[in-house]
Amino acid sequence: MSLIVVGSMAFDAIETPFGKSDKIIGGAATYIAWSASNFVKPIYQISVVGGDFPTDELNALANRGVELEGVQIKKDEKSFFWSGKYHLDMNSRDTLDTQLNVLANFQPTVPPSYQQAEFLMLGNLVPAVQLQVIKQLEKRPRLIVMDTMNFWMETAMDDLAEVLKHVDVLMVNDSEARQLSAEYSLVKAARSIMKMGPKYLVIKKGEHGALLFHDDQVFFAPALPLEDVFDPTGAGDTFAGGFIGHIAKTKDISFENMKTAIIVGSAMASFCVEKFGTTRLQEISKADIDQRIREFVQLVNFDIELG
Ligand code: AMP
């Protein structure tokens, strides 16, 4: 059940209506690894950080079962930095700053020990780098899942279109799906995006849940109504980690199992938002996760009799 995770490892500075964080550890691949490692180990991580990235953070991931041979450390450079500010509803945000730093010239190398992996999670990252990883794999993984964001649609659309041709599942949020397809209706957007390459499309709608599209089928999973949402950063990546973690654990890539994976992803994301950064993800146990998945089942379980 081997899983390669690719994506940014970063410093983030976050502003929410509840407060401001200093520079904290973030990055798509960081959240994905914390989330997916609840389901599969090792996680074969591919990323790049600068000399400023804390060794303690790398050690914590290694102790968690994350293999770091594919994470380059550029001693004399700075890590990727992202800063964002959430609106009052916490469902939308503005990017205040994106400093690529080490990401600007990142040339990923897939270590020989990562070859033959069955599953590939391409977290948010430079599309050309995502493609380089796919091209370096000797055997095509059974399932390639990809996340991206508006930043890359605006700065690297040609490369992004090329990667899309190689992936099975794309995950984007609703505004990104609209931007990518130039369609307002999410049903039309899904149809148009599935012509670009991916056969499956997940559209994340923040506190309003997520949709899974495939051919003419559609499945919806709600988000758990939470009393406190402190920081939505990384929720999408944590969702992705739960989704691919469940698929890699069960080795089942059917649409039916993807529905379960969406619920697992939603459960994981619900933890992520409860505290700043990866704090909550580092605290939770299998019992916590199981309990939350039960709450999801309760949330949507009802009987109906049609007369
Ligand atoms: P999410 O909230 O799931 O969309 O992910 C937020 C994470 O994505 C943050 O921890 C950022 O460090 C990271 N991030 C933001 N912008 C980018 C980008 N352009 N490329 C890669 N990672 C990014």
Side-chain angles (χ1 to χ4, degrees):
M1 46 188 190
S2 42
L3 169 64
I4 299 178
V5 170
V6 186
S8 54
M9 292 175 73
F11 285 116
D12 291 343
I14 300 152
E15 275 183 54
T16 76
F18 303 107
K20 234 173 158 170
S21 75
D22 291 330
K23 257 187 168 185
I24 57 170
I25 299 297
T30 312
Y31 284 102
I32 296 169
W34 278 110
S35 178
S37 57
N38 286 287
F39 307 95
V40 274
K41 282 180 188 158
I43 303 285
Y44 294 112
Q45 191 92 335
I46 296 182
S47 190
V48 61
V49 295
D52 52 358
F53 202 83
T55 313
D56 285 358
E57 292 292 333
L58 294 174
N59 290 342
L61 283 167
N63 289 337
R64 179 65 175 240
V66 182
E67 175 56 61
L68 298 173
E69 201 187 332
V71 177
Q72 297 174 21
I73 303 175
K74 301 267 172 77
K75 288 242 168 317
D76 302 323
E77 294 179 44
K78 282 162 72 179
S79 300
F80 174 73
F81 173 74
W82 175 80
S83 138
K85 182 177 178 173
Y86 287 87
H87 299 174
L88 254 185
D89 68 0
M90 297 276 257
N91 235 8
S92 50
R93 69 181 177 206
D94 295 324
T95 289
L96 301 177
D97 198 4
T98 299
Q99 296 173 17
L100 292 178
N101 299 327
V102 282
L103 273 195
N105 298 308
F106 178 37
Q107 301 287 330
T109 310
V110 177
S113 59
Y114 288 23
Q115 293 290 351
Q116 312 300 320
E118 279 178 286
F119 299 95
L120 173 61
M121 178 68 230
L122 296 170
N124 194 7
L125 194 66
V126 188
V129 173
Q130 294 177 316
L131 191 61
Q132 278 185 57
V133 171
I134 297 177
K135 295 250 155 106
Q136 282 181 39
L137 294 176
E138 289 157 10
K139 195 180 108 206
R140 191 193 191 276
R142 286 184 60 211
L143 195 76
I144 304 180
V145 181
M146 173 190 176
D147 186 8
T148 188
M149 77 186 278
N150 53 352
F151 181 82
W152 302 116
M153 295 174 199
E154 283 145 28
T155 60
M157 191 52 220
D158 289 350
D159 289 343
L160 180 57
E162 190 52 37
V163 198
L164 282 175
K165 292 182 193 156
H166 297 266
V167 308
D168 302 301
V169 185
L170 176 70
M171 289 182 172
V172 282
N173 66 33
D174 43 2
S175 69
E176 291 159 350
R178 290 183 171 121
Q179 185 168 345
L180 187 58
S181 62
E183 292 281 4
Y184 182 79
S185 148
L186 292 180
V187 175
K188 285 186 183 161
R191 211 175 291 138
S192 142
I193 292 170
M194 286 191 288
K195 284 189 188 134
M196 299 177 191
K199 290 177 285 310
Y200 301 85
L201 175 70
V202 177
I203 299 184
K204 299 167 287 180
K205 291 158 65 71
E207 67 170 331
H208 303 299
L211 294 158
L212 168 67
F213 292 90
H214 173 57
D215 290 335
D216 289 331
Q217 304 177 77
V218 55
F219 174 74
F220 171 71
L224 200 68
L226 293 171
E227 217 166 296
D228 296 311
V229 174
F230 278 105
D231 172 19
T233 309
D237 309 313
T238 305
F239 174 96
F243 178 89
I244 193 71
H246 173 78
I247 301 257
K249 178 182 164 188
T250 54
K251 293 178 175 248
D252 176 352
I253 59 172
S254 66
F255 184 71
E256 279 312 300
N257 196 43
M258 281 189 198
K259 292 182 184 175
T260 312
I262 294 271
I263 300 287
V264 174
S266 304
M268 295 310 297
S270 75
F271 287 115
C272 174
V273 303
E274 289 179 331
K275 292 191 178 170
F276 268 111
T278 57
T279 313
R280 188 76 180 111
L281 292 180
Q282 299 195 32
E283 293 170 354
I284 52 173
S285 64
K286 180 170 185 316
D288 295 322
I289 297 170
D290 289 349
Q291 174 56 26
R292 199 145 283 190
I293 292 175
R294 266 183 232 115
E295 287 174 40
F296 264 87
V297 174
Q298 273 309 109
L299 183 69
V300 288
N301 203 5
F302 60 89
D303 284 325
I304 187 163
E305 265 183 48
L306 296 176

